[in-house]
Amino acid sequence: MPRDQETAMLPLAGMKIVELGHYIAAPFATRLLADLGAEVIKVEPPEGDPVRGWGSAVDGNPVWFSVHGRNKLSVTLDLKSPDDRAKLLRLCGRADALVENFRPGYLERIGLGPEALHGVNPRLVIARISGYGQDGPYRDKPAFGAIGEAMGGLRHLTANPGQTEFPPPRCGVSISDDLAGIYAALALVSACWGIKGNPAAKGRIVDVDLVSSVFSLMEGMLPEYGLFGWVRQPQGAAIKTAAPTNTYPCADGKWLCIAGNSDLIFRRLMTAIGQPGMAADPRFANNALRCENVAELDAAIAAWTRGVPAAEAEAVLEAAEVPCSRLYDMADCATDPHFRARSMVMEVADPLLGRVLHPAAPFRFDGVSPEAMLRWTGPAAGAHNHHVFGELLERDDVRPMAGTPESRDPHAGQKDA
Amino acid sequence: MPRDQETAMLPLAGMKIVELGHYIAAPFATRLLADLGAEVIKVEPPEGDPVRGWGSAVDGNPVWFSVHGRNKLSVTLDLKSPDDRAKLLRLCGRADALVENFRPGYLERIGLGPEALHGVNPRLVIARISGYGQDGPYRDKPAFGAIGEAMGGLRHLTANPGQTEFPPPRCGVSISDDLAGIYAALALVSACWGIKGNPAAKGRIVDVDLVSSVFSLMEGMLPEYGLFGWVRQPQGAAIKTAAPTNTYPCADGKWLCIAGNSDLIFRRLMTAIGQPGMAADPRFANNALRCENVAELDAAIAAWTRGVPAAEAEAVLEAAEVPCSRLYDMADCATDPHFRARSMVMEVADPLLGRVLHPAAPFRFDGVSPEAMLRWTGPAAGAHNHHVFGELLERDDVRPMAGTPESRDPHAGQKDA
């Protein structure tokens, strides 16, 4: 099927979004919406979203932004200028939704609060992302990067019990921004679903915060605390109630995660590592007994893994049908046959960077290939000023994104003159 | 506003979902959809979703399920019985979407694959969640809990560099199931948005997997690997390019995360901890210099935090306007004034458990209180057999969820006779 026809089959084809985002949370929300087929107009200050200054660059073009800004149109506006604020309102007038992640109260202060936005478009969905939410006593506290992890309860758990020399490590990615972004996208599309086809429906205001987003993952810990006063403590790489299941050091300095805690798998595991005696030992006959004697088991398994490189140990255990995975680093991900076969890793032509690797969208739809979901790479700041202000606003009733020749233009990423 | 009117304002009021889920990923997806106002019918085997056996229980009623199953209707069906499969198809006939997380191929084997489901409802959206996805060479590998974290690249990063005595800890929550669940919910609602109001639209099949869901958070690491061969390594609790920002041990054994890396904040921080000399020292005058001399800074800050309990240290630094947060455990979350003021923590009457604490939904909408989003707590398995098969299927054209008296029945959670 031709790419443009696939693109037209994306579920959000026809939805129009304005992004007033910077850094991670709001831009990640709109990137997902753009992957899903929505038209996303990213509004940046004249100097560009400051996230463009993060990480590596080629000839001044930031590498991460190739992914972070993909499938979006970029325009630049100076929100301090009344003319540019009027342009923003015109964009909102034709949009289904706006996503923003300024500090609570900022949009109101510059005259672009929900009242003003609903004044030009009463059906607009306004998704607001912030560190602590739009109200409450901490609303105005500075929301630094790790706040969601720390206050949402995650960071307390990401630790090795009894280990005091090293602090609990960060997640290693912007997990709280990402979660808030995905939740904002979900809430936004849900609000749009509620409005669609209902002429009486009014726009909505959505409030998503980083702390609640992380806190939402705390499983049964809150009711257990309320009922019994229990406070879940970190478990490191092991699971107290299942053995052996842990992460073991390998000869090449890498780690191998092994889930060997069912009776049958346990026996296969111990036989595979040359410990058939332990496989048959009544002291390890069931999970409860193995949990009691877990130190001995972990020591035996680690003694074996220490002598074998991670990929090799993984192959041995997979042949014995023992669930396991080495801890993939980016080289492992980029070269893995499954990642490549599923197009989870794709080679893409970026007009600003050359050939780059992109991750596929984390959802796929029958009839649309992952390649067709990636319409273009992250553009330069303001690359679509002329397209949006010169053309798009002039033909509001025409759906602009579904594979028009221009939207497939490989030069879309280049800087506007 | 009366609760029922608020509930009717939930964005997905009127959407109908069938859940064929177990454990975490699919049930988490549908719980979010239920929080958003959709009618969710959870189909369980006669013995119940095995997740009901996880964690603590009161009189045989699992505590986590109060949250994990909230706002859902529970029915029990034996999918090996032709009569019960026919009932399932009747549920699908009136639904907008189905969510499942069986192993790839299982539904097809029992005669409930997409072809059969679209046979009774050509517009049904079918969201499928699996460990590795519906195709590709690893499709049939066993997907154990930590697989997404390990293979998606997260676990490699959640570690302290150079630390080999302890393995990189788990995230501490079911992060890959949760992410896959949220992505599946987003993709499902997006597909429903595309279909709504378009009589020609056909149902869709959505494919979400745990590994891709985690891999989607890897920021710019994949294009950086492709362009430069860089492989991001773990950074522990620090950030290489910003100083001082780290997590420090306190007198009570807890940890305090401090983000003191901007020039002004750095000076306030060092003054607050009794080191005005370091605040003024030219060796620490800007971030680049501080990164070079970060060991000395971290040692000075830790020397101070070690003498103060975490909550007290946090209060001192907050008074000095230094962004920081102690690593909250569940007691901290449950009692925090902001969590309480925002109803992020709510006291709820559970007919099976008594008074329990619930987290609010991680998104809120103008005009709907967090309390109104929580309509009822997780029901017993099969609690709604009579309601669904005896009543709901008989009156398909009536929207059943928007605040009908029954849906607010506090006995909804009790076991069916």
Side-chain angles (χ1 to χ4, degrees), chain A residues 220-271:
Chain A
M221 293 176 228
L222 182 61
E224 285 190 342
Y225 172 79
L227 285 168
F228 315 122
W230 293 354
V231 177
R232 175 95 63 98
Q233 297 302 328
Q235 302 203 23
I239 297 178
K240 265 189 197 166
T241 54
T245 180
N246 211 328
T247 301
Y248 302 89
C250 297
D252 52 357
K254 297 195 162 194
W255 297 91
L256 184 66
C257 175
I258 302 175
N261 49 292
S262 86
D263 291 350
L264 284 172
I265 292 172
F266 166 71
R267 281 178 221 134
R268 292 203 296 267
L269 165 62
M270 299 318 279
T271 307

Short mmCIF file of all heavy atoms in Angstrom, two decimals, chain A residues 220-271:
data_model
loop_
_atom_site.label_atom_id
_atom_site.label_comp_id
_atom_site.label_asym_id
_atom_site.label_seq_id
_atom_site.Cartn_x
_atom_site.Cartn_y
_atom_site.Cartn_z
N GLY A 220 -0.58 -1.94 45.08
CA GLY A 220 -1.44 -2.01 46.27
C GLY A 220 -0.84 -1.36 47.50
O GLY A 220 -1.33 -1.53 48.61
N MET A 221 0.24 -0.57 47.30
CA MET A 221 0.98 -0.07 48.47
C MET A 221 0.18 0.91 49.31
O MET A 221 0.32 0.93 50.53
CB MET A 221 2.28 0.58 48.01
CG MET A 221 3.26 -0.42 47.41
SD MET A 221 4.75 0.40 46.76
CE MET A 221 4.85 -0.36 45.15
N LEU A 222 -0.65 1.75 48.66
CA LEU A 222 -1.40 2.75 49.43
C LEU A 222 -2.49 2.10 50.28
O LEU A 222 -2.54 2.35 51.49
CB LEU A 222 -1.96 3.82 48.49
CG LEU A 222 -2.73 4.94 49.19
CD1 LEU A 222 -1.85 5.71 50.17
CD2 LEU A 222 -3.33 5.90 48.17
N PRO A 223 -3.37 1.24 49.71
CA PRO A 223 -4.35 0.60 50.60
C PRO A 223 -3.69 -0.29 51.66
O PRO A 223 -4.19 -0.36 52.79
CB PRO A 223 -5.23 -0.22 49.65
CG PRO A 223 -4.52 -0.26 48.34
CD PRO A 223 -3.64 0.95 48.29
N GLU A 224 -2.57 -0.92 51.35
CA GLU A 224 -1.89 -1.74 52.37
C GLU A 224 -1.35 -0.86 53.50
O GLU A 224 -1.41 -1.24 54.67
CB GLU A 224 -0.75 -2.56 51.75
CG GLU A 224 -1.27 -3.74 50.94
CD GLU A 224 -0.18 -4.71 50.51
OE1 GLU A 224 1.01 -4.33 50.51
OE2 GLU A 224 -0.54 -5.84 50.16
N TYR A 225 -0.86 0.31 53.15
CA TYR A 225 -0.41 1.22 54.20
C TYR A 225 -1.60 1.65 55.06
O TYR A 225 -1.54 1.65 56.29
CB TYR A 225 0.28 2.46 53.60
CG TYR A 225 0.56 3.50 54.67
CD1 TYR A 225 1.64 3.36 55.53
CD2 TYR A 225 -0.29 4.60 54.84
CE1 TYR A 225 1.88 4.28 56.53
CE2 TYR A 225 -0.05 5.53 55.84
CZ TYR A 225 1.04 5.36 56.68
OH TYR A 225 1.27 6.26 57.67
N GLY A 226 -2.71 1.97 54.40
CA GLY A 226 -3.89 2.44 55.13
C GLY A 226 -4.47 1.37 56.05
O GLY A 226 -4.88 1.66 57.17
N LEU A 227 -4.49 0.14 55.58
CA LEU A 227 -5.11 -0.93 56.37
C LEU A 227 -4.18 -1.47 57.45
O LEU A 227 -4.61 -1.77 58.56
CB LEU A 227 -5.53 -2.09 55.45
CG LEU A 227 -6.78 -1.88 54.60
CD1 LEU A 227 -6.89 -2.98 53.55
CD2 LEU A 227 -8.04 -1.86 55.48
N PHE A 228 -2.90 -1.63 57.10
CA PHE A 228 -1.99 -2.35 58.01
C PHE A 228 -0.80 -1.50 58.48
O PHE A 228 0.00 -1.97 59.29
CB PHE A 228 -1.41 -3.59 57.33
CG PHE A 228 -2.42 -4.42 56.58
CD1 PHE A 228 -2.27 -4.68 55.22
CD2 PHE A 228 -3.54 -4.93 57.23
CE1 PHE A 228 -3.19 -5.45 54.52
CE2 PHE A 228 -4.47 -5.71 56.54
CZ PHE A 228 -4.30 -5.96 55.17
N GLY A 229 -0.64 -0.32 57.92
CA GLY A 229 0.53 0.48 58.26
C GLY A 229 1.81 -0.02 57.60
O GLY A 229 2.90 0.43 57.96
N TRP A 230 1.70 -0.93 56.64
CA TRP A 230 2.90 -1.44 55.97
C TRP A 230 3.51 -0.39 55.05
O TRP A 230 2.80 0.32 54.35
CB TRP A 230 2.56 -2.64 55.10
CG TRP A 230 2.13 -3.85 55.84
CD1 TRP A 230 2.11 -4.04 57.18
CD2 TRP A 230 1.61 -5.06 55.25
NE1 TRP A 230 1.62 -5.28 57.48
CE2 TRP A 230 1.31 -5.94 56.32
CE3 TRP A 230 1.39 -5.49 53.95
CZ2 TRP A 230 0.79 -7.21 56.12
CZ3 TRP A 230 0.88 -6.75 53.75
CH2 TRP A 230 0.58 -7.62 54.81
N VAL A 231 4.82 -0.32 55.04
CA VAL A 231 5.55 0.56 54.13
C VAL A 231 6.48 -0.30 53.29
O VAL A 231 7.43 -0.89 53.81
CB VAL A 231 6.35 1.62 54.92
CG1 VAL A 231 7.16 2.48 53.97
CG2 VAL A 231 5.40 2.49 55.75
N ARG A 232 6.18 -0.40 52.01
CA ARG A 232 6.99 -1.26 51.13
C ARG A 232 8.43 -0.75 51.10
O ARG A 232 8.67 0.45 50.94
CB ARG A 232 6.40 -1.25 49.72
CG ARG A 232 7.22 -2.00 48.68
CD ARG A 232 6.80 -3.43 48.45
NE ARG A 232 5.46 -3.56 47.91
CZ ARG A 232 5.15 -3.73 46.63
NH1 ARG A 232 6.10 -3.74 45.71
NH2 ARG A 232 3.90 -3.87 46.26
N GLN A 233 9.37 -1.69 51.26
CA GLN A 233 10.79 -1.34 51.23
C GLN A 233 11.42 -1.89 49.94
O GLN A 233 10.90 -2.81 49.34
CB GLN A 233 11.50 -1.92 52.46
CG GLN A 233 10.98 -1.35 53.79
CD GLN A 233 11.10 0.17 53.88
OE1 GLN A 233 12.01 0.76 53.32
NE2 GLN A 233 10.15 0.80 54.57
N PRO A 234 12.54 -1.31 49.53
CA PRO A 234 13.16 -1.77 48.29
C PRO A 234 13.60 -3.23 48.40
O PRO A 234 13.96 -3.71 49.46
CB PRO A 234 14.38 -0.85 48.13
CG PRO A 234 14.56 -0.16 49.43
CD PRO A 234 13.25 -0.18 50.14
N GLN A 235 13.55 -3.92 47.26
CA GLN A 235 13.94 -5.33 47.23
C GLN A 235 15.16 -5.56 46.35
O GLN A 235 15.51 -6.71 46.10
CB GLN A 235 12.78 -6.17 46.71
CG GLN A 235 11.51 -6.04 47.52
CD GLN A 235 10.58 -7.23 47.35
OE1 GLN A 235 10.99 -8.32 46.98
NE2 GLN A 235 9.31 -7.02 47.63
N GLY A 236 15.75 -4.52 45.82
CA GLY A 236 16.91 -4.70 44.95
C GLY A 236 16.52 -5.40 43.67
O GLY A 236 15.52 -5.08 43.04
N ALA A 237 17.32 -6.39 43.28
CA ALA A 237 17.06 -7.11 42.03
C ALA A 237 16.29 -8.40 42.27
O ALA A 237 15.85 -9.05 41.33
CB ALA A 237 18.38 -7.43 41.34
N ALA A 238 16.13 -8.80 43.53
CA ALA A 238 15.45 -10.05 43.85
C ALA A 238 13.96 -9.78 44.12
O ALA A 238 13.52 -8.64 44.16
CB ALA A 238 16.08 -10.67 45.09
N ILE A 239 13.20 -10.86 44.25
CA ILE A 239 11.81 -10.77 44.70
C ILE A 239 11.70 -11.69 45.90
O ILE A 239 12.02 -12.88 45.81
CB ILE A 239 10.84 -11.21 43.59
CG1 ILE A 239 10.94 -10.26 42.40
CG2 ILE A 239 9.42 -11.27 44.11
CD1 ILE A 239 10.04 -10.65 41.23
N LYS A 240 11.30 -11.13 47.04
CA LYS A 240 11.31 -11.89 48.30
C LYS A 240 10.53 -13.19 48.23
O LYS A 240 10.87 -14.17 48.86
CB LYS A 240 10.71 -11.02 49.42
CG LYS A 240 11.72 -10.26 50.23
CD LYS A 240 11.04 -9.62 51.45
CE LYS A 240 11.92 -8.53 52.04
NZ LYS A 240 11.19 -7.70 52.99
N THR A 241 9.42 -13.17 47.46
CA THR A 241 8.49 -14.29 47.50
C THR A 241 8.69 -15.27 46.35
O THR A 241 7.83 -16.11 46.10
CB THR A 241 7.06 -13.75 47.46
OG1 THR A 241 6.95 -12.88 46.32
CG2 THR A 241 6.74 -12.96 48.71
N ALA A 242 9.79 -15.13 45.61
CA ALA A 242 10.02 -16.04 44.48
C ALA A 242 11.52 -16.31 44.40
O ALA A 242 12.32 -15.37 44.44
CB ALA A 242 9.52 -15.43 43.18
N ALA A 243 11.90 -17.57 44.27
CA ALA A 243 13.33 -17.89 44.20
C ALA A 243 13.55 -19.15 43.35
O ALA A 243 12.74 -20.06 43.38
CB ALA A 243 13.90 -18.12 45.61
N PRO A 244 14.64 -19.19 42.57
CA PRO A 244 15.56 -18.07 42.36
C PRO A 244 15.07 -17.15 41.24
O PRO A 244 14.79 -17.60 40.15
CB PRO A 244 16.85 -18.77 41.94
CG PRO A 244 16.38 -20.02 41.24
CD PRO A 244 15.07 -20.41 41.87
N THR A 245 14.99 -15.87 41.54
CA THR A 245 14.79 -14.87 40.51
C THR A 245 15.62 -13.66 40.91
O THR A 245 15.39 -13.07 41.95
CB THR A 245 13.30 -14.53 40.29
OG1 THR A 245 13.20 -13.56 39.26
CG2 THR A 245 12.62 -14.03 41.54
N ASN A 246 16.60 -13.35 40.09
CA ASN A 246 17.55 -12.31 40.47
C ASN A 246 18.34 -11.91 39.23
O ASN A 246 18.08 -12.42 38.13
CB ASN A 246 18.48 -12.82 41.58
CG ASN A 246 18.94 -11.71 42.52
OD1 ASN A 246 19.11 -10.57 42.10
ND2 ASN A 246 19.16 -12.06 43.78
N THR A 247 19.30 -11.01 39.43
CA THR A 247 20.15 -10.56 38.33
C THR A 247 21.59 -10.87 38.71
O THR A 247 22.02 -10.53 39.82
CB THR A 247 19.92 -9.05 38.09
OG1 THR A 247 18.54 -8.87 37.77
CG2 THR A 247 20.77 -8.54 36.96
N TYR A 248 22.31 -11.50 37.80
CA TYR A 248 23.60 -12.11 38.14
C TYR A 248 24.71 -11.52 37.27
O TYR A 248 24.51 -11.24 36.09
CB TYR A 248 23.51 -13.62 37.95
CG TYR A 248 22.41 -14.26 38.79
CD1 TYR A 248 21.11 -14.38 38.28
CD2 TYR A 248 22.66 -14.70 40.09
CE1 TYR A 248 20.09 -14.93 39.04
CE2 TYR A 248 21.64 -15.26 40.86
CZ TYR A 248 20.36 -15.37 40.33
OH TYR A 248 19.36 -15.92 41.09
N PRO A 249 25.92 -11.38 37.87
CA PRO A 249 27.05 -10.78 37.15
C PRO A 249 27.68 -11.78 36.19
O PRO A 249 27.84 -12.95 36.54
CB PRO A 249 28.03 -10.42 38.27
CG PRO A 249 27.74 -11.41 39.36
CD PRO A 249 26.27 -11.75 39.26
N CYS A 250 28.05 -11.32 35.01
CA CYS A 250 28.64 -12.21 34.01
C CYS A 250 30.11 -11.86 33.78
O CYS A 250 30.61 -10.83 34.25
CB CYS A 250 27.86 -12.15 32.71
SG CYS A 250 26.16 -12.74 32.92
N ALA A 251 30.78 -12.73 33.00
CA ALA A 251 32.22 -12.62 32.83
C ALA A 251 32.63 -11.31 32.16
O ALA A 251 33.72 -10.80 32.38
CB ALA A 251 32.74 -13.80 32.01
N ASP A 252 31.75 -10.75 31.31
CA ASP A 252 32.09 -9.53 30.58
C ASP A 252 31.64 -8.26 31.30
O ASP A 252 31.58 -7.19 30.69
CB ASP A 252 31.51 -9.59 29.16
CG ASP A 252 30.02 -9.90 29.16
OD1 ASP A 252 29.44 -10.13 30.25
OD2 ASP A 252 29.41 -9.91 28.07
N GLY A 253 31.28 -8.38 32.59
CA GLY A 253 30.85 -7.20 33.33
C GLY A 253 29.39 -6.85 33.11
O GLY A 253 28.88 -5.91 33.71
N LYS A 254 28.71 -7.60 32.25
CA LYS A 254 27.29 -7.36 32.04
C LYS A 254 26.48 -8.19 33.04
O LYS A 254 27.03 -9.01 33.77
CB LYS A 254 26.91 -7.70 30.60
CG LYS A 254 27.63 -6.80 29.59
CD LYS A 254 26.99 -6.87 28.23
CE LYS A 254 27.42 -5.68 27.39
NZ LYS A 254 26.59 -5.55 26.19
N TRP A 255 25.18 -7.96 33.03
CA TRP A 255 24.30 -8.61 34.00
C TRP A 255 23.26 -9.44 33.27
O TRP A 255 22.80 -9.09 32.19
CB TRP A 255 23.59 -7.56 34.85
CG TRP A 255 24.50 -6.72 35.69
CD1 TRP A 255 25.07 -5.54 35.34
CD2 TRP A 255 24.94 -7.01 37.03
NE1 TRP A 255 25.84 -5.06 36.38
CE2 TRP A 255 25.78 -5.95 37.43
CE3 TRP A 255 24.72 -8.05 37.93
CZ2 TRP A 255 26.38 -5.90 38.69
CZ3 TRP A 255 25.32 -7.99 39.20
CH2 TRP A 255 26.14 -6.93 39.55
N LEU A 256 22.86 -10.55 33.91
CA LEU A 256 21.84 -11.42 33.34
C LEU A 256 20.70 -11.58 34.35
O LEU A 256 20.92 -11.99 35.50
CB LEU A 256 22.44 -12.80 33.01
CG LEU A 256 21.49 -13.78 32.32
CD1 LEU A 256 21.09 -13.29 30.93
CD2 LEU A 256 22.12 -15.17 32.24
N CYS A 257 19.50 -11.23 33.90
CA CYS A 257 18.30 -11.35 34.72
C CYS A 257 17.69 -12.73 34.46
O CYS A 257 17.45 -13.09 33.30
CB CYS A 257 17.35 -10.23 34.31
SG CYS A 257 15.75 -10.25 35.09
N ILE A 258 17.47 -13.52 35.51
CA ILE A 258 16.96 -14.89 35.36
C ILE A 258 15.70 -15.05 36.21
O ILE A 258 15.70 -14.67 37.38
CB ILE A 258 18.01 -15.93 35.81
CG1 ILE A 258 19.31 -15.78 35.00
CG2 ILE A 258 17.47 -17.36 35.67
CD1 ILE A 258 20.44 -16.70 35.46
N ALA A 259 14.64 -15.60 35.60
CA ALA A 259 13.41 -15.89 36.34
C ALA A 259 13.25 -17.40 36.40
O ALA A 259 12.66 -18.01 35.52
CB ALA A 259 12.21 -15.24 35.65
N GLY A 260 13.83 -18.01 37.45
CA GLY A 260 13.88 -19.47 37.54
C GLY A 260 13.06 -20.02 38.70
O GLY A 260 13.42 -21.04 39.27
N ASN A 261 11.95 -19.36 39.03
CA ASN A 261 11.29 -19.66 40.30
C ASN A 261 10.15 -20.67 40.23
O ASN A 261 9.60 -21.03 41.26
CB ASN A 261 10.81 -18.38 40.96
CG ASN A 261 10.05 -17.49 40.01
OD1 ASN A 261 10.63 -16.95 39.07
ND2 ASN A 261 8.76 -17.36 40.21
N SER A 262 9.75 -21.13 39.04
CA SER A 262 8.76 -22.21 39.04
C SER A 262 9.50 -23.54 39.18
O SER A 262 10.68 -23.65 38.82
CB SER A 262 7.91 -22.19 37.77
OG SER A 262 8.54 -22.91 36.74
N ASP A 263 8.85 -24.56 39.71
CA ASP A 263 9.53 -25.83 40.01
C ASP A 263 10.22 -26.42 38.78
O ASP A 263 11.39 -26.81 38.84
CB ASP A 263 8.52 -26.84 40.57
CG ASP A 263 8.02 -26.43 41.96
OD1 ASP A 263 8.59 -25.49 42.55
OD2 ASP A 263 7.06 -27.05 42.45
N LEU A 264 9.48 -26.47 37.68
CA LEU A 264 10.04 -27.09 36.48
C LEU A 264 11.21 -26.28 35.93
O LEU A 264 12.24 -26.83 35.55
CB LEU A 264 8.95 -27.22 35.40
CG LEU A 264 7.94 -28.35 35.63
CD1 LEU A 264 6.81 -28.25 34.61
CD2 LEU A 264 8.66 -29.70 35.53
N ILE A 265 11.01 -24.97 35.88
CA ILE A 265 12.07 -24.12 35.34
C ILE A 265 13.30 -24.18 36.24
O ILE A 265 14.43 -24.22 35.77
CB ILE A 265 11.56 -22.67 35.16
CG1 ILE A 265 10.51 -22.63 34.04
CG2 ILE A 265 12.70 -21.72 34.87
CD1 ILE A 265 9.80 -21.30 33.89
N PHE A 266 13.08 -24.20 37.55
CA PHE A 266 14.20 -24.29 38.49
C PHE A 266 15.06 -25.51 38.18
O PHE A 266 16.29 -25.42 38.12
CB PHE A 266 13.69 -24.37 39.93
CG PHE A 266 14.73 -24.79 40.92
CD1 PHE A 266 15.77 -23.93 41.24
CD2 PHE A 266 14.69 -26.05 41.50
CE1 PHE A 266 16.76 -24.33 42.14
CE2 PHE A 266 15.68 -26.45 42.39
CZ PHE A 266 16.70 -25.59 42.72
N ARG A 267 14.41 -26.65 37.95
CA ARG A 267 15.19 -27.88 37.69
C ARG A 267 15.95 -27.77 36.37
O ARG A 267 17.11 -28.16 36.29
CB ARG A 267 14.26 -29.09 37.70
CG ARG A 267 13.94 -29.50 39.14
CD ARG A 267 12.96 -30.68 39.22
NE ARG A 267 12.00 -30.42 40.28
CZ ARG A 267 10.68 -30.59 40.18
NH1 ARG A 267 10.15 -31.05 39.05
NH2 ARG A 267 9.90 -30.30 41.20
N ARG A 268 15.31 -27.19 35.38
CA ARG A 268 16.01 -27.02 34.10
C ARG A 268 17.20 -26.07 34.26
O ARG A 268 18.27 -26.29 33.70
CB ARG A 268 15.05 -26.47 33.04
CG ARG A 268 13.96 -27.45 32.63
CD ARG A 268 13.40 -27.14 31.24
NE ARG A 268 12.73 -25.86 31.16
CZ ARG A 268 11.41 -25.69 31.34
NH1 ARG A 268 10.62 -26.72 31.60
NH2 ARG A 268 10.88 -24.49 31.22
N LEU A 269 16.99 -25.02 35.04
CA LEU A 269 18.06 -24.04 35.27
C LEU A 269 19.27 -24.69 35.93
O LEU A 269 20.41 -24.55 35.46
CB LEU A 269 17.51 -22.89 36.14
CG LEU A 269 18.53 -21.95 36.79
CD1 LEU A 269 19.35 -21.20 35.75
CD2 LEU A 269 17.81 -20.94 37.70
N MET A 270 19.04 -25.40 37.03
CA MET A 270 20.16 -25.95 37.78
C MET A 270 20.89 -27.02 36.97
O MET A 270 22.12 -27.14 37.06
CB MET A 270 19.70 -26.51 39.13
CG MET A 270 19.04 -25.49 40.05
SD MET A 270 19.86 -23.86 40.14
CE MET A 270 21.19 -24.18 41.31
N THR A 271 20.13 -27.78 36.18
CA THR A 271 20.77 -28.77 35.32
C THR A 271 21.64 -28.09 34.27
O THR A 271 22.77 -28.50 34.01
CB THR A 271 19.69 -29.66 34.66
OG1 THR A 271 18.85 -30.18 35.69
CG2 THR A 271 20.32 -30.81 33.89
#
